[in-house]
Amino acid sequence: MDQVREEGMGGGQVAADELRLLIERAERLEEEKKGIMDDIKDVMAEAKGRGYDAKAIKKIMAIRKKKKEEYQEEEAILETYMHALGML
């Protein structure tokens, strides 16, 4: 396959076909991401419809992504600040 090479903005060579394929691949991934985000919205709407709090579910999901030690450290700092502000 012959690749047409043009001068790039930085003075380097750009393979037009390769660049086009990379852009198209990223565009497909963006479309898939949009579909997944729509699916997540549907799940949250279903949870809300069943009486669950969507914000609490999202918070739990964020916590589960973190390492236990990282979460505990964040909670300790938050508690310290809240005590300092008289919130606890």
Side-chain angles (χ1 to χ4, degrees), residues 37-55 57-58:
M37 294 303 294
D38 289 342
D39 291 345
I40 292 170
K41 285 180 187 177
D42 291 344
V43 170
M44 290 301 161
E46 181 181 343
K48 188 175 182 179
R50 293 178 183 223
Y52 296 102
D53 185 304
K55 285 184 181 180
I57 291 172
K58 289 178 183 178

Side-chain angles (χ1 to χ4, degrees), residues 8-85:
M9 289 175 50
Q13 297 294 313
V14 176
D17 289 341
E18 182 178 52
L19 178 59
R20 181 182 45 77
L21 290 173
L22 289 169
I23 290 169
E24 289 171 355
R25 193 165 113 206
E27 289 171 337
R28 281 191 304 275
L29 290 170
E30 285 289 336
E31 190 59 36
E32 288 177 27
K33 182 171 78 171
K34 181 187 177 300
I36 290 170
M37 294 303 294
D38 289 342
D39 291 345
I40 292 170
K41 285 180 187 177
D42 291 344
V43 170
M44 290 301 161
E46 181 181 343
K48 188 175 182 179
R50 293 178 183 223
Y52 296 102
D53 185 304
K55 285 184 181 180
I57 291 172
K58 289 178 183 178
K59 180 70 174 173
I60 290 168
M61 290 170 59
I63 290 168
R64 289 171 53 128
K65 286 181 187 178
K66 297 176 184 177
K67 294 179 182 170
K68 185 177 180 180
E69 297 79 21
E70 180 184 1
Y71 171 71
Q72 289 174 335
E73 181 180 345
E74 287 179 10
E75 285 297 302
I77 292 169
L78 181 61
E79 187 176 327
T80 300
Y81 289 176
M82 290 175 75
H83 273 295
L85 296 171

